[in-house]
Amino acid sequence: MLVLVAPGQGAQTPGFLTPWLDLPGAADRVGAWSEAIGLDLVHYGTKADAEEIRDTSVAQPLLVAAGLLSAAALGDITPDAVAGHSVGEITAAVFAGVLDDTAALRLVRTRGLAMAEAAAVTRTGMAALLGGDPEVTVPHLEKLGLTPANVNGAGQIVAAGTMEQIAALESDKPEGVRRVITLQVAGAFHTHHMAPAVAKLEETAQGLDPADPKVAYVSNKDGQTVATGADVVTRLVGQVANPVRWDLCMETFQRLGATALVEVCPGGTLTGIAKRALPGVKTLALKTPDDLDAARALIAEHAGAAS
């Protein structure tokens, strides 16, 4: 039983799209997407530096484009379930047949711009906490005024808030937490700081014509599978200002009987979590086209298979 997942913001690195553009038709496809959303994805995916692609309005469309491009390179596949972490949920909506490529990229372009604008109001950020017990960590974060914005499972929670609150966390770690790592993102995503972005996304979402998911679509909101395209879009909009519950998504993968998990480009983050949280589930991250053959072999073995 195969789960196809898409990573969120922070997974991008300078030049990561370069080898993918050498695949037949890839440059033309990305060029067409760039024209549709008014953003040069080829430039940002190949030549831009780390600071340029840290910009929320750039990073989010770039990640969705990379996910769609790498998934298309796998060929005609049908996963049993799909999910995405944060902005990766938009990529997953395409995998499930809810949105087409262009609609997804236009939605994520609006999302990135709106979230960048919201982030500019107050200097905010995010930090990953490694280790610790959520029952101890979450109250400690709330005491510092921080939000547990990503509850990822496998001993990882991402806190979000003002940079002053992040600094306080670094000097006052919750009991049991080994490390606090400031993330390369430009705002406190999935918190009340993003509320202004929700209204702008709602406007864009009204122009969408979503189809119902063709495969199980697992939502960040609560880890539940979503039956209708309209509900998927509603959740995509609201999720901007609400915590990501990736831990609950993985619980659903287990309940559905997942035996393999493939993470699209730029893969690595979600497979790393899955290796710790989903013992016995085979994982593979698409980082470069060199990973495609192994991914196809894993997909052929596990797609549609019972646990």
Side-chain angles (χ1 to χ4, degrees):
M1 188 270 191
L2 172 72
V3 182
L4 187 65
V5 299
Q9 202 162 337
Q12 73 277 9
T13 55
F16 77 101
L17 203 59
T18 300
W20 295 95
L21 294 178
D22 291 333
L23 297 176
D28 289 341
R29 173 175 277 189
V30 177
W33 290 340
S34 297
E35 186 174 344
I37 65 173
L39 183 72
D40 189 347
L41 295 166
V42 173
H43 165 76
Y44 286 111
T46 59
K47 298 179 180 178
D49 62 25
E51 189 61 28
E52 286 180 280
I53 62 173
R54 183 173 177 266
D55 182 337
T56 302
S57 65
V58 170
Q60 294 191 10
L62 188 59
L63 285 164
V64 172
L68 297 179
L69 191 67
S70 58
L74 289 169
D76 187 13
I77 65 166
T78 303
D80 301 290
V82 301
H85 191 285
S86 188
V87 71
E89 285 203 292
I90 294 179
T91 317
V94 178
F95 298 160
V98 175
L99 301 174
D100 63 30
D101 291 359
T102 302
L105 283 158
R106 285 176 174 156
L107 179 63
V108 75
R109 179 61 167 152
T110 299
R111 186 185 193 270
L113 288 166
M115 291 176 71
E117 185 176 336
V121 174
T122 305
R123 192 164 167 264
T124 58
M126 305 178 80
L129 287 75
L130 304 183
D133 181 343
E135 293 187 4
V136 174
T137 298
V138 170
H140 188 93
L141 295 178
E142 292 172 346
K143 181 188 73 174
L144 296 175
L146 290 157
T147 300
N150 301 163
V151 183
N152 288 332
Q156 186 189 105
I157 290 178
V158 176
T162 67
M163 295 310 295
E164 291 78 12
Q165 291 166 339
I166 296 290
L169 172 65
E170 290 172 340
S171 61
D172 183 15
K173 296 194 296 287
E175 181 181 352
V177 170
R178 301 188 307 277
R179 294 179 64 195
V180 175
I181 304 171
T182 302
L183 301 183
Q184 293 302 304
V185 296
F189 306 139
H190 302 290
T191 72
H192 64 90
H193 293 285
M194 293 295 110
V198 173
K200 294 194 174 183
L201 268 181
E202 285 174 340
E203 292 178 18
T204 299
Q206 289 175 3
L208 297 174
D209 184 23
D212 293 341
K214 297 177 182 177
V215 300
Y217 179 96
V218 183
S219 169
N220 282 180
K221 179 178 180 179
D222 49 16
Q224 297 300 303
T225 56
V226 184
T228 70
D231 194 10
V232 169
V233 170
T234 297
R235 286 165 175 256
L236 288 175
V237 170
Q239 200 60 39
V240 167
N242 287 289
V244 170
R245 294 301 307 267
W246 191 250
D247 58 332
L248 299 181
C249 291
M250 290 193 296
E251 287 179 12
T252 297
F253 301 159
Q254 283 188 310
R255 177 175 57 80
L256 293 174
T259 56
L261 180 146
V262 173
E263 182 182 3
V264 296
C265 177
T269 301
L270 301 181
T271 47
I273 295 172
K275 285 175 182 177
R276 299 190 298 274
L278 299 172
V281 175
K282 294 184 178 180
T283 62
L284 190 145
L286 288 176
K287 298 179 180 180
T288 75
D290 291 341
D291 300 314
L292 287 169
D293 284 345
R296 292 186 188 110
L298 190 66
I299 289 165
E301 181 183 353
H302 291 271
S307 61

